[in-house]
Amino acid sequence: MTLPRPGFSAYITIGWPNPGTFEKLVETLSECVDFFEFGVPTPRPIYDGPTIRETHAEALKSVSGWRDALKLLSRLEIGDKRPTIIMAYMSDHLGHLREFHEEAASAGARCILYPDLPFEHPEKLWLYVDESERVGLKPCFFASSRFPHRWLLTYAALRPLFIYLGLQPATGVKLPIAVEKNVRLAKKLVGDVYLLAGFAIRDSETARRLIEVGADAVVVGSAIIRAAKDRGLDEAKRLACSIHQAVHAERA
């Protein structure tokens, strides 16, 4: 169970803006991404930016909960050709964590990424690992650029599917050199563990630079969603394909 190196992932909130268009968007982007990250709609997306928060609110108008979201996800015909990562908030699922992991695995997920795990529920780390492995999922972890090094080393020792490094600037802000240094440092700490960089990536040049300095893959959400919302699915595909090409050209 591995992800391609280098790799490019697109983030989409499940059911945004409605189930039919969501399925069309996934189909449209499929040939331009290496794997998908799908967000389970939640009324409390506290670690997402304004664009993604809006998609959660819109999706919840037609997706009536996490079971409904995973059923929609299971209908997608992307299979092993495009691995699936689920992003969810652990706070939403503590009362039914085992069932949620079981249903996520049945829907085709490779791992469940909980961005609130290290900040709000660090004591649940081993429960998360155990429940993931019990149903055949790999653990995957979120870390910020200012994350304590000891936690990155702990995560790396667990041999996760990936570590997601959340970059500091907001989407649309040009990445400063300090972020490139953070990526280099994180990669040095985690070694051959897959490092996925996200946040603040809006174009092919930024993606190329992050792969160049050590990221194994990048994930783009807000920029693709804005393109789809403002200019249509074909424009979202054009953006995704340009980033995919830049990522793969960097290590060709």
Side-chain angles (χ1 to χ4, degrees):
M1 186 187 297
T2 60
L3 298 174
R5 299 176 193 247
F8 167 55
S9 176
Y11 168 91
I12 312 171
T13 303
I14 299 172
W16 177 83
N18 56 68
T21 304
F22 167 71
E23 293 187 49
K24 290 179 182 178
L25 179 57
V26 173
E27 182 181 0
T28 299
L29 297 179
S30 288
E31 65 186 76
C32 299
V33 304
D34 298 301
F35 57 102
F36 281 99
E37 180 186 338
F38 293 117
V40 176
T42 175
R44 187 174 173 264
I46 60 173
Y47 293 109
D48 286 300
T51 298
I52 303 300
R53 287 200 296 268
E54 288 179 5
T55 67
H56 281 270
E58 289 184 62
L60 285 171
K61 295 175 182 178
S62 53
V63 177
S64 61
W66 65 270
R67 290 182 180 85
D68 197 16
L70 293 182
K71 286 179 181 178
L72 177 57
L73 194 62
S74 67
R75 295 205 300 264
L76 299 178
E77 297 182 359
I78 52 178
D80 291 336
K81 295 181 179 179
R82 299 291 183 271
T84 294
I85 310 303
I86 289 178
M87 198 283 279
Y89 285 87
M90 180 168 276
S91 296
D92 293 336
H93 303 288
L94 283 175
H96 50 262
L97 198 67
R98 175 163 292 192
E99 184 182 3
F100 181 60
H101 279 233
E102 290 173 347
E103 294 297 325
S106 295
R110 299 286 185 88
C111 77
I112 303 173
L113 177 68
Y114 292 116
D116 57 340
L117 170 62
F119 304 108
E120 297 186 39
H121 307 288
E123 77 285 356
K124 303 294 186 183
L125 172 62
W126 300 110
L127 174 64
Y128 161 68
V129 172
D130 289 344
E131 288 300 325
S132 295
E133 293 179 345
R134 188 182 65 83
V135 295
L137 300 175
K138 291 277 286 183
C140 52
F141 302 108
F142 178 85
S144 75
S145 295
R146 298 176 181 175
F147 220 57
H149 292 176
R150 62 184 177 83
W151 274 96
L152 280 175
L153 294 173
T154 297
Y155 288 165
L158 291 169
R159 310 307 298 174
L161 185 62
F162 63 81
I163 294 175
Y164 185 127
L165 183 67
L167 309 174
Q168 291 300 312
T171 301
V173 177
K174 187 176 181 180
L175 290 174
I177 294 176
V179 170
E180 296 183 9
K181 290 182 179 179
N182 288 338
V183 171
R184 287 192 178 98
L185 175 58
K187 188 59 180 173
K188 183 177 180 180
L189 288 169
V190 305
D192 65 348
V193 171
Y194 199 95
L195 185 66
L196 173 62
F199 293 17
I201 305 170
R202 58 175 179 159
D203 53 41
S204 58
E205 174 59 20
T206 303
R208 183 196 64 78
R209 286 167 55 202
L210 291 171
I211 297 296
E212 184 179 50
V213 300
D216 292 297
V218 298
V219 57
V220 178
S222 296
I224 290 175
I225 286 169
R226 283 198 298 269
K229 182 176 181 179
D230 297 340
R231 299 185 295 280
L233 301 190
D234 288 342
E235 183 61 22
K237 179 180 178 180
R238 186 202 65 77
L239 175 60
C241 287
S242 70
I243 296 173
H244 182 270
Q245 183 179 12
V247 164
H248 286 272
E250 180 56 35
R251 292 190 186 176

